[in-house]
Amino acid sequence: LLFYLFIQHLIISSSYTSLYKKSSTNKNPAPDVAAEVGRYEDVAKRIIELAVFGAAQNRSYRRLADFTDTIGNRVSGSQNLEMAIKYMYNAMKQDGLDVHLEPVKIPHWVRGKESAEMIKPRTKSLAMLGLGSSVGTPPEGVEAEVLVVQSFEELKRRASEATGRIVVFNQPFTNYPETVAYRGFGASEAAKVGAVATLIRSVTPFSINSPHTGWQTYEEGVKRIPTACITVEDAELMWRLAQNKQKIVVRLVMGAQTLPDADSFNTVAEIRGWQHPEQVVLLSGHLDSWDVGQGAMDDGGGAMISWEALSLIKDLGLRPRRTLRAVLWTGEEQGGVGGQQYFNLHKENISNFDLVMESDLGTFTPMGLQFLGSDAARKVMEEVIKLLAPINVTKLETDAEGTDIFLWMQAGVPGASLHVADSRYFWFHHSEGDTMTVQDPHDMDLCSALWAVVAYVVADLEDMLPRRP
Ligand SMILES: *[C@@H]1O[C@H](CO)[C@@H](O)[C@H](O)[C@H]1NC(C)=O
Ligand SMILES: *[C@@H]1O[C@H](CO)[C@@H](O)[C@H](O)[C@H]1NC(C)=O
Ligand SMILES: *[C@@H]1O[C@H](CO)[C@@H](O)[C@H](O)[C@H]1NC(C)=O
C-alpha cells in the first residue's frame, strides 16, 4: 500500500461518488435480485466449508509462509521480485490454473549503505530507512544542524530558519492518508525553503523504535535532497531537545541511487468463463513489497487470497459464466506502476470488466466488503455479501480502495476491496516487522472464503453488475 491512497480518496469521495448518486436514480430496480443471488447459498456454504473447515484449511497461510520464507522481501527492480514472479507463475500453474505473464517496466531504486547519527547534543545512532526514490548523499554524508517542525504549516512559518538545515518532521499520526503526505512530499517542501536533507517521522501509530519506509515524490523543478524516515521515538526526542533550545546536529549518509527501469511482469491466473469468457471479474493483490521484513502483510496476503480464491473454486469443480482473473501486480509500491500499465493495455475492453477487486490492507479478520458502484450494483452486492453469513461477515461498506484498481473504478467499473480488522496494519507497514508472524491462518481462511464467494457469484450471475448509464 503506498501513499497515493489519499489522492484517490479525495477524488472518489467527492466527484466520483456524487456522479453515481445522480445517475442511479433513474435506474430500474433489478428484477428479483434477491432470488437470483439466494440460489447461491449452497455453493457459498461449500466454498466456506472447504476454505475454513475442510481440506483447504490454512492453505493460503501455508502458501504465503512457503513463499515469503523462501523468497523474502521483493522490492521493485530486485532479483527477489523476479524470483517471486517465477515462483508464483510455477506454483499457480502446478495448481492447474491458466497462467501467463504480462511485461511491465518498473522503477529500480536501491538504498545502498545508509546510516544516521545524532552528533549534538550527544552521540546517538538513529534507526532509519531511506525513502524510495530518494537521492543519496555525498560519500562522506551530510552533516548539519537540525530544524524540527510538526507540520508543513510550521515549516512555512519558520522558513527563514531552514536554510542549510536538516529538517526533521515530527508530525503526529492522525490517519494514514493525511499523515503520509509528510513522507510523500516532505523532501520537496523542505528543499523549497533551503533545507539540505529531511528526516521524516515514520508514518505509524505505534512504534518499538521501528523506521517505516515508503515511496516519496520529488516535485518538478525543486532541488532533490536526500530523505529518510526515522523512528517516532527519535523524532520526539529531537522535538523535545529543540523545545529546550538545544542545538541538534545530525549526520546522514545514504548510498541510494536510481538505476535504469527494470523488466518485470504482472502475473495473471485464470479460470475461463464457460459462457462469456471475454467478461472478467478481476481479483488482485500486489506481489512486490518494500525491501524490509518479508512483505507478508503488504501485500503477500492479498496476493495469496486472490490465488486461493481461484483454487477453492477449481477444487470444487466450479466454473462460472465469466472469467475469474487473479492478477498479482508488480511495482505497486512505486506508484502502482503494474496496475497503471495493465489499465492502459486493457482499457479497450473496459465494457467487459464486470468487477475489479483488490486486497491491500492486510488479511486480518474480515469485517466486510467495501464496494463502489451504482446504486443498482450495490443492491446486487448487498445480496451477495449476505451469502457470507456463515462466517459472520455481511457488511457492505462504501468506498472501495486499491492503488491497482483505482483507474478502473474512476472509469466507472464497479470495484471492491477487503475490509479487515486493520487497527494493527500500520504498526508493521513498510517495516522490518512485516513478517509471517503478523499473519494468522484462520483469518486468512476467512478472507479467502469471502474473496472466493464474492468473485464466483458475481462472475456467475445472469448479468454483469449494472454501471452508471
Ligand atoms: C490450522 O492451523 C491451526 C492453528 O495453527 C491448527 O490448530 C489446525 O490444526 C490447522 N489445521 C490444519 C488442517 O492444518
Ligand atoms: C480484448 O478482448 C478481445 C475479445 O475477447 C480479445 O481478443 C483481446 O485480446 C482483448 N484485448 C486486450 C488488450 O486484452
Ligand atoms: C459466527 O458467529 C457465531 C455467533 O457468534 C459463532 O458461533 C460462530 O463461530 C461464528 N462463525 C465463524 C466462522 O466465526
Side-chain angles (χ1 to χ4, degrees), residues 52-53 390-392 442 446:
V52 182
F53 309 104
I391 56 167
N392 304 327
H442 181 62
L446 297 174

Side-chain angles (χ1 to χ4, degrees), residues 80 188 326 397 408 441-442:
N80 277 15
S188 285
E397 302 170 10
W408 295 99
H442 181 62

Side-chain angles (χ1 to χ4, degrees), residues 274-324:
W274 64 265
Q275 189 174 43
H276 306 293
E278 74 289 356
Q279 296 178 359
V280 175
V281 167
L282 184 153
L283 52 170
S284 67
H286 65 88
L287 210 54
D288 67 299
S289 72
W290 277 102
D291 57 344
V292 288
Q294 287 184 287
M297 180 193 78
D298 185 10
D299 179 29
M304 285 304 153
I305 65 162
S306 297
W307 170 22
E308 180 66 22
L310 264 55
S311 296
L312 292 167
I313 289 157
K314 176 188 61 68
D315 290 354
L316 288 168
L318 298 168
R319 190 173 172 200
R321 287 175 203 275
R322 295 178 198 81
T323 294
L324 285 172

Side-chain angles (χ1 to χ4, degrees), residues 31-194:
D32 216 358
V33 169
E36 191 193 356
V37 176
R39 286 197 282 276
Y40 290 91
E41 205 179 300
D42 281 345
V43 80
K45 279 196 186 129
R46 283 167 63 207
I47 293 172
I48 292 166
E49 180 64 30
L50 175 62
V52 182
F53 309 104
Q57 187 180 67
N58 303 348
R59 183 168 63 185
S60 56
Y61 173 91
R62 271 201 314 271
R63 285 173 169 177
L64 181 61
D66 287 347
F67 172 67
T68 57
D69 291 344
T70 305
I71 308 279
N73 58 50
R74 312 165 295 278
V75 76
S76 182
S78 66
Q79 217 163 12
N80 277 15
L81 179 56
E82 236 177 88
M83 273 162 33
I85 291 166
K86 280 194 189 125
Y87 180 107
M88 290 302 289
Y89 176 88
N90 290 328
M92 293 196 296
K93 241 194 162 133
Q94 258 173 33
D95 190 33
L97 299 170
D98 232 326
V99 193
H100 71 271
L101 300 176
E102 301 193 15
V104 185
K105 281 273 184 204
I106 53 170
H108 190 186
W109 174 85
V110 290
R111 70 173 62 257
K113 237 175 107 79
E114 56 181 20
S115 64
E117 191 183 16
M118 185 169 80
I119 291 166
K120 280 182 187 162
R122 65 181 169 93
T123 304
K124 179 188 187 300
S125 96
L126 306 171
M128 58 80 77
L129 285 169
L131 296 181
S133 86
S134 177
V135 297
T137 64
E140 69 280 11
V142 170
E143 186 176 315
E145 196 179 331
V146 160
L147 169 67
V148 191
V149 298
Q150 307 250 60
S151 65
F152 288 132
E153 195 273 320
E154 183 181 355
L155 179 67
K156 280 213 174 93
R157 228 176 336 111
R158 301 178 63 185
S160 63
E161 298 169 60
T163 312
R165 300 275 186 94
I166 293 174
V167 168
V168 170
F169 284 99
N170 178 42
Q171 80 288 343
F173 183 88
T174 53
N175 58 63
Y176 186 71
E178 202 171 279
T179 311
V180 78
Y182 289 88
R183 191 189 81 212
F185 310 120
S188 285
E189 290 308 310
K192 284 179 197 168
V193 292

